[in-house]
Amino acid sequence: SAPRRAKKYKNVKFAHRGLHGEGVAENSMSAFKAAVDNGYGIELDLRMSADGEIFVFHDDSLLRMCGVKKSISAMKAAEVRSLFLSGTANRIPTLKEVLSLIDGQVPLLIEIKPDVNTPALCKRLCLIMDGYGGAFAVESCDPAVLIFFRKYRPRYARGQLVAKFTPKDAAKDERIPKNRFKLFALTHLFTNVATRPDFIAIDGRLMREPAFLLSTRLFKRPGFVWTVRTKRQYELCRKQGLYAIFENIEP
């Protein structure tokens, strides 16, 4: 059941892209080790290379973190492995490397980013996570991803990511639906009918969204809030029984 699958996250504090900061790049092995050492759960992001290797990386483009105007999906694994993160000694890690490091010590929130190869990534992810013994959940803003896991891996905990998508967002990003009703449905959780998420992970600016309150209070789905960057917001989450995915603070 959904409550049972989500129960493993009770009282866990999640470090957004690992415990990173000055000299420690986000989504790096150093950031993940620091999170494990401090007993924090980890939220991380996935991208897949053109030849099928799953890497832990957030952005669609490598420009911000690596100074390269390319995307991981357009590169082979060997090319991706040659890059360093934000001027540090850390390279972009593969998911397998990260799982080997964490080894079930803390729970994981695995975000699957919408990309050109997302369907293939989901299939390959199943093969990897089926052999992993630690606690984890998959999450995505793309309802199709949750529908896939509901059908093929119903035992995986799955979460619906929620942000306020607008026509302006859709114009900038080809992966966001252009249809206004679809945008409205994503923001207001109408897609939950099909995705049946075990938890909701929402942009902190939308904490008062009626659909989120309905899901977390009436239907008893755990609520996660991203990205919590102040002690005040963290305390607000704690008082409301919500899970904080934090960054730049240590709760």
Side-chain angles (χ1 to χ4, degrees):
S1 67
R4 187 175 69 248
R5 284 191 292 267
K7 188 177 180 181
K8 66 188 75 172
Y9 298 107
K10 189 174 183 179
N11 299 323
V12 176
K13 303 165 187 173
F14 286 90
H16 188 238
R17 306 178 197 169
L19 197 61
H20 59 91
E22 190 169 345
V24 180
E26 66 181 53
N27 277 329
S28 68
M29 295 293 274
S30 296
F32 299 141
K33 185 178 185 305
V36 170
D37 289 346
N38 285 274
Y40 296 132
I42 295 169
E43 183 271 353
L44 52 80
D45 313 275
L46 302 183
R47 298 280 182 183
M48 192 169 78
S49 65
D51 52 354
E53 182 72 74
I54 299 181
F55 287 89
V56 178
F57 193 80
H58 178 270
D59 297 359
D60 178 48
S61 169
L62 290 157
L63 185 60
R64 178 177 68 92
M65 293 299 297
C66 304
V68 177
K69 290 185 178 181
K70 289 184 178 181
S71 63
I72 287 179
S73 61
M75 300 171 68
K76 290 189 175 181
E79 296 177 88
V80 179
R81 289 176 188 276
S82 70
L83 302 174
F84 291 92
L85 291 165
S86 298
T88 68
N90 285 133
R91 298 181 188 272
I92 302 173
T94 66
L95 176 61
K96 291 179 181 178
E97 289 170 337
V98 173
L99 294 179
S100 179
L101 170 72
I102 296 168
D103 195 26
Q105 296 176 82
V106 297
L108 302 176
L109 289 178
I110 301 173
E111 181 177 349
I112 300 168
K113 313 296 290 186
D115 211 332
V116 294
N117 54 17
T118 295
L121 187 155
C122 289
K123 293 176 183 177
R124 189 170 292 268
L125 181 63
C126 289
L127 299 177
I128 295 174
M129 300 312 297
D130 281 352
Y132 182 66
F136 70 92
V138 294
E139 60 178 7
S140 181
C141 63
D142 184 353
V145 169
L146 271 67
I147 291 171
F148 171 90
F149 285 104
R150 182 188 172 198
K151 181 177 181 180
Y152 294 106
R153 290 298 187 278
R155 66 182 181 277
Y156 289 10
R158 57 188 180 273
Q160 180 66 60
L161 279 167
V162 183
K164 190 168 185 178
F165 297 112
T166 67
K168 185 179 291 187
D169 297 324
K172 294 178 181 177
D173 192 334
E174 62 183 16
R175 298 163 300 176
I176 298 176
K178 305 297 183 285
N179 182 288
R180 285 179 178 268
F181 176 75
K182 287 184 178 179
L183 290 174
F184 185 85
L186 282 170
T187 300
H188 297 283
L189 297 175
F190 292 173
T191 57
N192 283 10
V193 174
T195 60
R196 304 286 178 87
D198 298 306
F199 62 91
I200 311 296
I202 199 165
D203 183 332
R205 294 169 292 186
L206 301 176
M207 285 174 62
R208 298 184 185 278
E209 168 63 43
F212 177 66
L213 297 175
L214 187 68
S215 294
T216 56
R217 295 181 182 178
L218 182 62
F219 294 107
K220 306 299 182 183
R221 292 295 185 266
F224 291 72
V225 179
W226 53 271
T227 303
V228 175
R229 294 186 172 93
T230 67
K231 289 286 184 71
R232 181 182 177 186
Q233 190 178 24
Y234 174 80
E235 285 301 318
L236 181 62
C237 290
R238 189 182 64 79
K239 288 177 181 177
Q240 295 185 13
L242 301 172
Y243 298 83
I245 303 175
F246 69 90
E247 183 178 85
N248 299 334
I249 61 170
E250 286 213 36

